[in-house]
Amino acid sequence: MGHKTYHDITEDLVGPTEAAPTKLWMLGVIISVSLFSFGIFSLCWTFYFGIGAWNLNRTIGWGYDITNFVWWIGIGHAGTLISAILLLFRQRWRTGVNRAAEAMTIFAVMCAGLFPATHTGRPWFDFFMFPYPNTRGPLWVNFNSPLLWDLFAISTYFTISLLFWYTGLVPDFATVRDRAKGFRKKIYSFFAMGWTGKAKHWQRWEYLSLILAGIATPLVLSVHTIVSFDFATSVIPGWHTTIFPPYFVAGAIFSGFAMVQTLMIITRKLLKLEQYITINHIESMNKVILVTGTMVGSAYLIELFISWYSGYIYEQFAFYNRILGPYYWAYIGMMGCNVLAPQVFWSKKIRTSIWWTFFMSIFVNIGMWFERFVIIVTSLAKDYLPSSWSYYWPTWVEIGIYVGTFGLFFTCYLIFVRVAPVVAIAEVKAILKQYGDQYLGPDATEAPHEEHASH
Amino acid sequence: MAAKYKDVLFGLYNDETILMKAIKTAKAKHLDIMDVYTPFPVHGLDPLLGLEESRLHIVGFIFGLLGTLTALCGISFIFGGSLLFEGDWPTIFGGKPYWSLPAFIPITFELTVLFCGIGMTVVFYLICGMGFGVDNPVLHDRITDDKFCIAFQTNDMDDSGVDELKGFFNETGAEEVHTKQI
């Protein structure tokens, strides 16, 4: 960050929240809100006509809805990974991107949650999912079911991510508050929660952040593990594989980082944050994408090997059907986008190219969507009974709901970049003199102060 | 009886290294620092100010334990309840163990994390006297931007005491010195 002062950092990062919204931002909001409205319309259609409005049938009872759910949940994994795991590993580069990635996590989990919440077509009965003494027997929920574990995992994940994100935001909201005037000051005062920057408060704040990071780390691994249990604990060939938990977690990090890249590249350009979200950040994330993409690729191959090695014809058929069956195009999409495409990141030139990164991040997200579709739909389409074999493709209602979640996601993200600092101000300031051009030496506090006072 | 308002004399510094030196000087002169305010967490400040280690992790542990117990007891009670209590719809699993600990671990883990996270965060805001809409007095608007502040309480302090503090700020390189009643 060259010779920026603390005040420069404040100006750069608070600036976008103080400036009038640009036309491009307005256009983005209009498009996002329109998409979201279409999603709401599709949901209302579903609630009115029931889930008969979807193309699911007796053979393929899980389709577009759960594919999209798993896809969004996967995307939601990068935020906490960047915030929590990289914090624990003291990867300082995370400070440029953690705030936006955490926001992305929260919005992605909201989008994901929409699918299980509405998949019955009767969302007003959602409270049936919670264990409470009820008048239906009482009829208790089944604690042995991964679907119930999922409910707990996702609500916990959402809550902890929200707490983590908001606690990080409080000191930055205080910075915005202390620069604001009039009504704006009142609003930010409310959300800054009375933060003053006391030494003791900072000490507790760091403790809280570190412990939340500590507990969020196993949490982030548990969430996608539990999502994978939805499939792995079933008896469907192609689903009941023990490799699913690590394979799903790697895939989630893979797709999550890809979405962070997509958003970061757009955000840094629009908000002129190239000095904060640097090529180094992009390259580091591309390395994570390469590693996790390769892990996912090896999982695909191991799956194929194990199905052959099992000697179990139904398992073998499930994989034969995936590659050469009617959904062969989805398998090609999955392999091409997830395994082959990211291999270009072995080249440093491509890894550090904004355009390559942007297009590859889109490819990865498409590929990961195909992965979920392949796992879910192809495994169900041709079951044990050839007479019940079927083919599934979503109706406009199902597509509409999916499109609507994009609207929800981008509406939330666009509002977030307007009202909150996209880069964690206090964290960037804290590392300013520990690294880079303004490095003060191993013990920063002992450095002679005279030369800094002259700045 | 403590005064209703605090008269505060505070100095603003431009850099954390100057701040640290100033604190050391203050300690050497046995000046009673009321508080230090910074725009970001300055490492090395806590031992210098003699701040005790935070006990938030103990709070986290206790709440986490509470979550574990809530999950295990709750699930056991509900499962047991559906067998024992008249009228409950029995949950039947074909051939599988009725009380199956491995199946309870995911939810137990999630509730442990949930209770720990919420408990610790709520306690953090409570002990810091913070919350939505709370309007704690801010000594100076630049403290959350780029200024590092040392504050002294000057209630019941005579003029010579205040002068000594002003001299201290002057000597240690404070850029600005202000007074405020909070």
Side-chain angles (χ1 to χ4, degrees):
Chain A
M1 275 189 287
H3 292 282
K4 282 198 182 290
T5 62
Y6 294 131
H7 186 64
D8 292 339
I9 294 175
T10 310
E11 289 285 339
D12 289 348
L13 300 179
V14 178
T17 67
E18 293 170 339
T22 59
K23 281 183 183 157
L24 205 60
W25 183 85
M26 296 291 277
L27 182 71
V29 170
I30 291 169
I31 295 173
S32 309
V33 171
S34 311
L35 295 179
F36 184 42
S37 308
F38 184 56
I40 299 271
F41 174 74
S42 306
L43 277 175
C44 292
W45 189 280
T46 305
F47 301 154
Y48 188 76
F49 291 102
I51 52 166
W54 299 357
N55 249 352
L56 297 172
N57 52 46
R58 278 175 57 193
T59 308
I60 304 166
W62 277 7
Y64 216 59
D65 194 60
I66 194 156
T67 300
N68 299 332
F69 159 72
V70 180
W71 187 77
W72 274 119
I73 275 287
I75 283 174
H77 274 55
T80 314
L81 184 100
I82 290 176
S83 315
I85 300 181
L86 299 185
L87 177 72
L88 296 181
F89 283 126
R90 307 212 178 274
Q91 295 291 306
R92 300 286 181 176
W93 61 268
R94 64 180 272 288
T95 43
V97 292
N98 66 335
R99 168 71 49 74
E102 287 164 32
M104 189 200 77
T105 286
I106 291 161
F107 306 144
V109 174
M110 281 162 58
C111 292
L114 201 71
F115 292 99
T118 58
H119 82 290
T120 55
R122 300 286 178 266
W124 48 93
F125 290 128
D126 278 353
F127 64 94
F128 280 18
M129 292 189 286
F130 292 94
Y132 68 100
N134 54 65
T135 50
R136 304 184 300 280
L139 176 62
W140 294 100
V141 290
N142 183 358
F143 289 99
N144 289 346
S145 163
L147 297 177
L148 187 73
W149 304 346
D150 234 359
L151 171 77
F152 280 86
I154 288 160
S155 15
T156 302
Y157 186 53
F158 179 74
T159 313
I160 298 293
S161 303
L162 192 66
L163 292 177
F164 195 45
W165 178 66
Y166 198 80
T167 303
L169 261 175
V170 165
D172 290 356
F173 272 150
T175 306
V176 184
R177 170 198 68 194
D178 292 343
R179 289 164 56 92
K181 300 227 163 9
F183 183 65
R184 203 164 171 269
K185 194 178 185 83
K186 280 190 180 163
I187 298 276
Y188 279 102
S189 293
F190 181 83
F191 289 108
M193 300 177 101
W195 179 266
T196 52
K198 259 185 201 182
K200 185 69 189 173
H201 293 183
W202 275 121
Q203 185 207 36
R204 290 180 183 142
W205 182 86
E206 284 206 297
Y207 252 80
L208 180 67
S209 305
L210 194 66
I211 300 171
L212 282 180
I215 59 172
T217 302
L219 180 66
V220 73
L221 301 178
S222 82
V223 173
H224 227 64
T225 299
I226 292 176
V227 170
S228 81
F229 285 165
D230 291 348
F231 306 97
T233 58
S234 75
V235 292
I236 310 287
W239 285 6
H240 62 171
T241 47
T242 47
I243 199 178
F244 261 21
Y247 155 28
F248 267 49
V249 171
I253 295 166
F254 180 53
S255 65
F257 268 76
M259 188 57 109
V260 173
Q261 293 281 41
T262 314
L263 291 181
M264 283 296 108
I265 288 172
I266 299 172
T267 309
R268 76 194 281 273
K269 185 76 194 162
L270 292 184
L271 301 184
K272 300 185 177 59
L273 295 174
E274 284 91 343
Q275 282 175 300
Y276 296 89
I277 303 164
T278 63
I279 290 289
N280 282 343
H281 291 106
I282 290 171
E283 192 191 357
S284 300
M285 288 196 280
N286 280 338
K287 284 179 184 168
V288 177
I289 289 179
L290 177 60
V291 170
T292 47
T294 310
M295 282 164 76
V296 167
S298 30
Y300 294 161
L301 299 180
I302 291 169
E303 256 188 344
L304 289 180
F305 170 75
I306 293 294
S307 70
W308 166 76
Y309 190 62
S310 70
Y312 182 57
I313 56 161
Y314 299 106
E315 191 73 25
Q316 288 169 347
F317 176 75
F319 283 89
Y320 170 83
N321 183 48
R322 265 185 203 178
I323 303 169
L324 298 170
Y327 290 108
Y328 70 93
W329 47 268
Y331 196 82
I332 292 173
M334 171 183 101
M335 279 295 195
C337 295
N338 290 351
V339 186
L340 299 179
Q343 300 307 320
V344 297
F345 283 144
W346 286 104
S347 150
K348 191 178 171 73
K349 199 176 168 190
I350 292 178
R351 222 163 47 218
T352 51
S353 151
I354 301 285
W355 282 106
W356 268 101
T357 304
F358 186 71
F359 286 115
M360 290 313 299
S361 69
I362 307 270
F363 263 104
V364 169
N365 275 314
I366 295 173
M368 283 309 290
W369 188 88
F370 273 129
E371 181 203 288
R372 277 64 180 250
F373 186 81
V374 164
I375 292 173
I376 294 161
V377 176
T378 65
S379 305
L380 292 172
K382 292 193 174 180
D383 62 4
Y384 296 102
L385 202 62
S387 63
S388 65
W389 287 0
S390 182
Y391 192 82
Y392 164 82
W393 190 246
T395 59
W396 68 267
V397 184
E398 291 170 277
I399 296 172
I401 297 170
Y402 183 45
V403 166
T405 52
F406 276 99
L408 173 64
F409 182 80
F410 284 106
T411 306
C412 292
Y413 189 77
L414 286 168
I415 292 172
F416 158 72
V417 299
R418 281 288 312 150
V419 301
V422 187
V423 175
I425 303 175
E427 289 185 44
V428 169
K429 284 177 186 166
I431 62 161
L432 181 69
K433 292 185 180 174
Q434 293 177 13
Y435 300 89
D437 296 345
Q438 300 189 42
Y439 183 51
L440 287 183
D443 190 352
T445 60
E446 293 302 322
H449 70 258
E450 287 78 14
E451 55 182 285
H452 297 286
S454 64
H455 281 304
Chain B
M1 195 180 125
K4 196 176 174 189
Y5 294 103
K6 284 180 184 169
D7 291 317
V8 179
L9 177 74
F10 63 94
L12 300 176
Y13 296 84
N14 269 350
D15 197 288
E16 69 267 37
T17 48
I18 315 172
L19 174 89
M20 302 284 255
K21 290 213 163 195
I23 295 170
K24 280 180 194 163
T25 312
K27 289 281 170 189
K29 290 186 171 187
H30 302 290
L31 298 176
D32 188 15
I33 296 175
M34 183 186 88
D35 243 315
V36 169
Y37 300 83
T38 58
F40 57 84
V42 176
H43 289 167
L45 200 61
D46 303 352
L48 214 54
L49 288 171
L51 295 181
E52 275 180 43
E53 199 187 351
S54 170
R55 289 184 293 259
L56 261 182
H57 54 286
I58 300 173
V59 173
F61 179 75
I62 293 170
F63 274 98
L65 206 60
L66 201 65
T68 313
L69 291 174
T70 306
L72 285 178
C73 298
I75 296 173
S76 304
F77 177 78
I78 289 170
F79 267 46
S82 68
L83 269 188
L84 300 173
F85 303 144
E86 202 177 328
D88 277 21
W89 193 276
T91 320
I92 298 165
F93 311 96
K96 290 179 186 166
Y98 193 72
W99 191 85
S100 152
L101 187 62
F104 303 160
I105 286 176
I107 292 179
T108 307
F109 170 76
E110 300 300 333
L111 284 194
T112 305
V113 170
L114 185 68
F115 275 53
C116 170
I118 294 180
M120 224 167 43
T121 311
V122 169
V123 168
F124 165 77
Y125 286 117
L126 284 179
I127 55 175
C128 290
M130 290 165 64
F132 286 112
V134 171
D135 199 12
N136 290 330
V138 176
L139 285 180
H140 196 278
D141 285 348
R142 292 288 288 270
I143 291 172
T144 51
D145 179 357
D146 62 343
K147 300 290 180 198
F148 300 80
C149 167
I150 299 180
F152 294 97
Q153 190 174 347
T154 55
N155 296 46
D156 309 324
M157 198 178 266
D158 58 18
D159 288 350
S160 66
V162 174
D163 287 343
E164 189 194 354
L165 293 178
K166 284 181 179 166
F168 158 78
F169 282 131
N170 197 24
E171 179 194 326
T172 52
E175 291 290 313
E176 295 172 40
V177 179
H178 301 276
T179 53
K180 192 167 183 172
Q181 202 172 52
I182 58 171

PDB file of all heavy atoms in Angstrom, chain A residues 57-75:
ATOM      1  N   ASN A  57     -40.765 -35.814 -10.298  1.00  0.00           N
ATOM      2  CA  ASN A  57     -41.711 -36.925 -10.443  1.00  0.00           C
ATOM      3  C   ASN A  57     -41.370 -38.018  -9.433  1.00  0.00           C
ATOM      4  O   ASN A  57     -40.490 -37.828  -8.589  1.00  0.00           O
ATOM      5  CB  ASN A  57     -41.705 -37.445 -11.890  1.00  0.00           C
ATOM      6  CG  ASN A  57     -40.294 -37.766 -12.351  1.00  0.00           C
ATOM      7  OD1 ASN A  57     -39.540 -38.396 -11.623  1.00  0.00           O
ATOM      8  ND2 ASN A  57     -39.932 -37.320 -13.561  1.00  0.00           N
ATOM      9  N   ARG A  58     -42.014 -39.153  -9.539  1.00  0.00           N
ATOM     10  CA  ARG A  58     -41.830 -40.192  -8.517  1.00  0.00           C
ATOM     11  C   ARG A  58     -40.409 -40.754  -8.541  1.00  0.00           C
ATOM     12  O   ARG A  58     -39.888 -41.198  -7.534  1.00  0.00           O
ATOM     13  CB  ARG A  58     -42.849 -41.308  -8.700  1.00  0.00           C
ATOM     14  CG  ARG A  58     -44.189 -40.963  -8.090  1.00  0.00           C
ATOM     15  CD  ARG A  58     -45.213 -42.021  -8.381  1.00  0.00           C
ATOM     16  NE  ARG A  58     -44.779 -43.336  -7.901  1.00  0.00           N
ATOM     17  CZ  ARG A  58     -45.369 -44.466  -8.251  1.00  0.00           C
ATOM     18  NH1 ARG A  58     -46.394 -44.442  -9.093  1.00  0.00           N
ATOM     19  NH2 ARG A  58     -44.965 -45.602  -7.782  1.00  0.00           N
ATOM     20  N   THR A  59     -39.821 -40.780  -9.719  1.00  0.00           N
ATOM     21  CA  THR A  59     -38.451 -41.317  -9.804  1.00  0.00           C
ATOM     22  C   THR A  59     -37.442 -40.268  -9.354  1.00  0.00           C
ATOM     23  O   THR A  59     -36.536 -40.552  -8.573  1.00  0.00           O
ATOM     24  CB  THR A  59     -38.137 -41.725 -11.257  1.00  0.00           C
ATOM     25  OG1 THR A  59     -39.178 -42.583 -11.696  1.00  0.00           O
ATOM     26  CG2 THR A  59     -36.799 -42.414 -11.355  1.00  0.00           C
ATOM     27  N   ILE A  60     -37.624 -39.078  -9.881  1.00  0.00           N
ATOM     28  CA  ILE A  60     -36.666 -38.020  -9.560  1.00  0.00           C
ATOM     29  C   ILE A  60     -37.353 -37.046  -8.601  1.00  0.00           C
ATOM     30  O   ILE A  60     -37.980 -36.079  -9.004  1.00  0.00           O
ATOM     31  CB  ILE A  60     -36.164 -37.331 -10.845  1.00  0.00           C
ATOM     32  CG1 ILE A  60     -35.567 -38.384 -11.769  1.00  0.00           C
ATOM     33  CG2 ILE A  60     -35.133 -36.263 -10.522  1.00  0.00           C
ATOM     34  CD1 ILE A  60     -35.343 -37.925 -13.172  1.00  0.00           C
ATOM     35  N   GLY A  61     -37.247 -37.379  -7.319  1.00  0.00           N
ATOM     36  CA  GLY A  61     -37.943 -36.593  -6.298  1.00  0.00           C
ATOM     37  C   GLY A  61     -37.111 -35.421  -5.804  1.00  0.00           C
ATOM     38  O   GLY A  61     -37.606 -34.520  -5.148  1.00  0.00           O
ATOM     39  N   TRP A  62     -35.821 -35.465  -6.072  1.00  0.00           N
ATOM     40  CA  TRP A  62     -34.936 -34.351  -5.724  1.00  0.00           C
ATOM     41  C   TRP A  62     -34.330 -33.850  -7.021  1.00  0.00           C
ATOM     42  O   TRP A  62     -33.762 -34.634  -7.774  1.00  0.00           O
ATOM     43  CB  TRP A  62     -33.797 -34.816  -4.796  1.00  0.00           C
ATOM     44  CG  TRP A  62     -34.171 -34.894  -3.354  1.00  0.00           C
ATOM     45  CD1 TRP A  62     -35.410 -34.739  -2.814  1.00  0.00           C
ATOM     46  CD2 TRP A  62     -33.287 -35.124  -2.255  1.00  0.00           C
ATOM     47  NE1 TRP A  62     -35.355 -34.864  -1.459  1.00  0.00           N
ATOM     48  CE2 TRP A  62     -34.061 -35.105  -1.079  1.00  0.00           C
ATOM     49  CE3 TRP A  62     -31.918 -35.358  -2.137  1.00  0.00           C
ATOM     50  CZ2 TRP A  62     -33.522 -35.306   0.193  1.00  0.00           C
ATOM     51  CZ3 TRP A  62     -31.381 -35.557  -0.883  1.00  0.00           C
ATOM     52  CH2 TRP A  62     -32.179 -35.534   0.274  1.00  0.00           C
ATOM     53  N   GLY A  63     -34.453 -32.564  -7.280  1.00  0.00           N
ATOM     54  CA  GLY A  63     -33.919 -32.065  -8.551  1.00  0.00           C
ATOM     55  C   GLY A  63     -33.256 -30.720  -8.415  1.00  0.00           C
ATOM     56  O   GLY A  63     -32.251 -30.564  -7.730  1.00  0.00           O
ATOM     57  N   TYR A  64     -33.884 -29.757  -9.058  1.00  0.00           N
ATOM     58  CA  TYR A  64     -33.316 -28.425  -9.157  1.00  0.00           C
ATOM     59  C   TYR A  64     -33.162 -27.765  -7.790  1.00  0.00           C
ATOM     60  O   TYR A  64     -32.174 -27.097  -7.508  1.00  0.00           O
ATOM     61  CB  TYR A  64     -34.266 -27.597 -10.013  1.00  0.00           C
ATOM     62  CG  TYR A  64     -33.593 -26.606 -10.916  1.00  0.00           C
ATOM     63  CD1 TYR A  64     -32.676 -27.027 -11.868  1.00  0.00           C
ATOM     64  CD2 TYR A  64     -33.884 -25.249 -10.819  1.00  0.00           C
ATOM     65  CE1 TYR A  64     -32.065 -26.118 -12.699  1.00  0.00           C
ATOM     66  CE2 TYR A  64     -33.281 -24.333 -11.661  1.00  0.00           C
ATOM     67  CZ  TYR A  64     -32.375 -24.770 -12.598  1.00  0.00           C
ATOM     68  OH  TYR A  64     -31.774 -23.866 -13.419  1.00  0.00           O
ATOM     69  N   ASP A  65     -34.173 -27.951  -6.961  1.00  0.00           N
ATOM     70  CA  ASP A  65     -34.239 -27.273  -5.675  1.00  0.00           C
ATOM     71  C   ASP A  65     -33.035 -27.598  -4.804  1.00  0.00           C
ATOM     72  O   ASP A  65     -32.317 -26.702  -4.352  1.00  0.00           O
ATOM     73  CB  ASP A  65     -35.537 -27.746  -4.997  1.00  0.00           C
ATOM     74  CG  ASP A  65     -35.898 -26.892  -3.822  1.00  0.00           C
ATOM     75  OD1 ASP A  65     -36.092 -25.689  -4.023  1.00  0.00           O
ATOM     76  OD2 ASP A  65     -35.988 -27.433  -2.717  1.00  0.00           O
ATOM     77  N   ILE A  66     -32.777 -28.886  -4.623  1.00  0.00           N
ATOM     78  CA  ILE A  66     -31.676 -29.252  -3.724  1.00  0.00           C
ATOM     79  C   ILE A  66     -30.322 -29.030  -4.402  1.00  0.00           C
ATOM     80  O   ILE A  66     -29.326 -28.730  -3.742  1.00  0.00           O
ATOM     81  CB  ILE A  66     -31.836 -30.694  -3.174  1.00  0.00           C
ATOM     82  CG1 ILE A  66     -30.878 -30.905  -1.994  1.00  0.00           C
ATOM     83  CG2 ILE A  66     -31.675 -31.733  -4.210  1.00  0.00           C
ATOM     84  CD1 ILE A  66     -31.281 -31.974  -1.051  1.00  0.00           C
ATOM     85  N   THR A  67     -30.300 -29.122  -5.735  1.00  0.00           N
ATOM     86  CA  THR A  67     -29.059 -28.789  -6.455  1.00  0.00           C
ATOM     87  C   THR A  67     -28.665 -27.348  -6.130  1.00  0.00           C
ATOM     88  O   THR A  67     -27.514 -27.061  -5.791  1.00  0.00           O
ATOM     89  CB  THR A  67     -29.282 -28.915  -7.978  1.00  0.00           C
ATOM     90  OG1 THR A  67     -29.666 -30.253  -8.266  1.00  0.00           O
ATOM     91  CG2 THR A  67     -28.035 -28.561  -8.766  1.00  0.00           C
ATOM     92  N   ASN A  68     -29.637 -26.458  -6.226  1.00  0.00           N
ATOM     93  CA  ASN A  68     -29.363 -25.045  -5.967  1.00  0.00           C
ATOM     94  C   ASN A  68     -29.034 -24.784  -4.507  1.00  0.00           C
ATOM     95  O   ASN A  68     -28.182 -23.971  -4.183  1.00  0.00           O
ATOM     96  CB  ASN A  68     -30.559 -24.190  -6.384  1.00  0.00           C
ATOM     97  CG  ASN A  68     -30.841 -24.325  -7.851  1.00  0.00           C
ATOM     98  OD1 ASN A  68     -29.927 -24.592  -8.633  1.00  0.00           O
ATOM     99  ND2 ASN A  68     -32.097 -24.182  -8.247  1.00  0.00           N
ATOM    100  N   PHE A  69     -29.705 -25.524  -3.633  1.00  0.00           N
ATOM    101  CA  PHE A  69     -29.424 -25.394  -2.201  1.00  0.00           C
ATOM    102  C   PHE A  69     -27.962 -25.736  -1.915  1.00  0.00           C
ATOM    103  O   PHE A  69     -27.233 -24.963  -1.281  1.00  0.00           O
ATOM    104  CB  PHE A  69     -30.369 -26.304  -1.402  1.00  0.00           C
ATOM    105  CG  PHE A  69     -29.883 -26.656  -0.027  1.00  0.00           C
ATOM    106  CD1 PHE A  69     -29.881 -25.706   0.973  1.00  0.00           C
ATOM    107  CD2 PHE A  69     -29.437 -27.939   0.261  1.00  0.00           C
ATOM    108  CE1 PHE A  69     -29.425 -26.025   2.247  1.00  0.00           C
ATOM    109  CE2 PHE A  69     -28.978 -28.268   1.520  1.00  0.00           C
ATOM    110  CZ  PHE A  69     -28.971 -27.308   2.517  1.00  0.00           C
ATOM    111  N   VAL A  70     -27.523 -26.894  -2.408  1.00  0.00           N
ATOM    112  CA  VAL A  70     -26.150 -27.331  -2.131  1.00  0.00           C
ATOM    113  C   VAL A  70     -25.153 -26.369  -2.791  1.00  0.00           C
ATOM    114  O   VAL A  70     -24.102 -26.051  -2.230  1.00  0.00           O
ATOM    115  CB  VAL A  70     -25.924 -28.788  -2.591  1.00  0.00           C
ATOM    116  CG1 VAL A  70     -24.509 -29.235  -2.303  1.00  0.00           C
ATOM    117  CG2 VAL A  70     -26.894 -29.727  -1.913  1.00  0.00           C
ATOM    118  N   TRP A  71     -25.515 -25.886  -3.970  1.00  0.00           N
ATOM    119  CA  TRP A  71     -24.621 -24.964  -4.689  1.00  0.00           C
ATOM    120  C   TRP A  71     -24.425 -23.683  -3.891  1.00  0.00           C
ATOM    121  O   TRP A  71     -23.297 -23.228  -3.692  1.00  0.00           O
ATOM    122  CB  TRP A  71     -25.244 -24.663  -6.059  1.00  0.00           C
ATOM    123  CG  TRP A  71     -24.374 -23.868  -6.961  1.00  0.00           C
ATOM    124  CD1 TRP A  71     -23.296 -24.319  -7.670  1.00  0.00           C
ATOM    125  CD2 TRP A  71     -24.504 -22.468  -7.283  1.00  0.00           C
ATOM    126  NE1 TRP A  71     -22.759 -23.294  -8.399  1.00  0.00           N
ATOM    127  CE2 TRP A  71     -23.476 -22.146  -8.178  1.00  0.00           C
ATOM    128  CE3 TRP A  71     -25.391 -21.469  -6.889  1.00  0.00           C
ATOM    129  CZ2 TRP A  71     -23.304 -20.873  -8.700  1.00  0.00           C
ATOM    130  CZ3 TRP A  71     -25.221 -20.192  -7.408  1.00  0.00           C
ATOM    131  CH2 TRP A  71     -24.192 -19.901  -8.302  1.00  0.00           C
ATOM    132  N   TRP A  72     -25.511 -23.107  -3.388  1.00  0.00           N
ATOM    133  CA  TRP A  72     -25.398 -21.858  -2.620  1.00  0.00           C
ATOM    134  C   TRP A  72     -24.668 -22.086  -1.308  1.00  0.00           C
ATOM    135  O   TRP A  72     -23.865 -21.271  -0.876  1.00  0.00           O
ATOM    136  CB  TRP A  72     -26.780 -21.261  -2.340  1.00  0.00           C
ATOM    137  CG  TRP A  72     -27.317 -20.380  -3.440  1.00  0.00           C
ATOM    138  CD1 TRP A  72     -28.454 -20.581  -4.152  1.00  0.00           C
ATOM    139  CD2 TRP A  72     -26.749 -19.151  -3.940  1.00  0.00           C
ATOM    140  NE1 TRP A  72     -28.635 -19.564  -5.067  1.00  0.00           N
ATOM    141  CE2 TRP A  72     -27.603 -18.668  -4.952  1.00  0.00           C
ATOM    142  CE3 TRP A  72     -25.609 -18.413  -3.633  1.00  0.00           C
ATOM    143  CZ2 TRP A  72     -27.360 -17.491  -5.656  1.00  0.00           C
ATOM    144  CZ3 TRP A  72     -25.366 -17.245  -4.329  1.00  0.00           C
ATOM    145  CH2 TRP A  72     -26.228 -16.795  -5.326  1.00  0.00           C
ATOM    146  N   ILE A  73     -24.970 -23.199  -0.652  1.00  0.00           N
ATOM    147  CA  ILE A  73     -24.290 -23.488   0.619  1.00  0.00           C
ATOM    148  C   ILE A  73     -22.787 -23.619   0.384  1.00  0.00           C
ATOM    149  O   ILE A  73     -21.967 -23.130   1.157  1.00  0.00           O
ATOM    150  CB  ILE A  73     -24.864 -24.787   1.245  1.00  0.00           C
ATOM    151  CG1 ILE A  73     -26.104 -24.459   2.047  1.00  0.00           C
ATOM    152  CG2 ILE A  73     -23.872 -25.509   2.126  1.00  0.00           C
ATOM    153  CD1 ILE A  73     -25.821 -23.753   3.356  1.00  0.00           C
ATOM    154  N   GLY A  74     -22.428 -24.259  -0.708  1.00  0.00           N
ATOM    155  CA  GLY A  74     -21.008 -24.403  -1.056  1.00  0.00           C
ATOM    156  C   GLY A  74     -20.362 -23.046  -1.225  1.00  0.00           C
ATOM    157  O   GLY A  74     -19.283 -22.788  -0.685  1.00  0.00           O
ATOM    158  N   ILE A  75     -21.043 -22.159  -1.925  1.00  0.00           N
ATOM    159  CA  ILE A  75     -20.508 -20.822  -2.140  1.00  0.00           C
ATOM    160  C   ILE A  75     -20.319 -20.103  -0.804  1.00  0.00           C
ATOM    161  O   ILE A  75     -19.356 -19.375  -0.603  1.00  0.00           O
ATOM    162  CB  ILE A  75     -21.441 -20.036  -3.084  1.00  0.00           C
ATOM    163  CG1 ILE A  75     -21.195 -20.537  -4.498  1.00  0.00           C
ATOM    164  CG2 ILE A  75     -21.214 -18.531  -2.991  1.00  0.00           C
ATOM    165  CD1 ILE A  75     -22.111 -19.992  -5.512  1.00  0.00           C
TER     166      ILE A  75
END
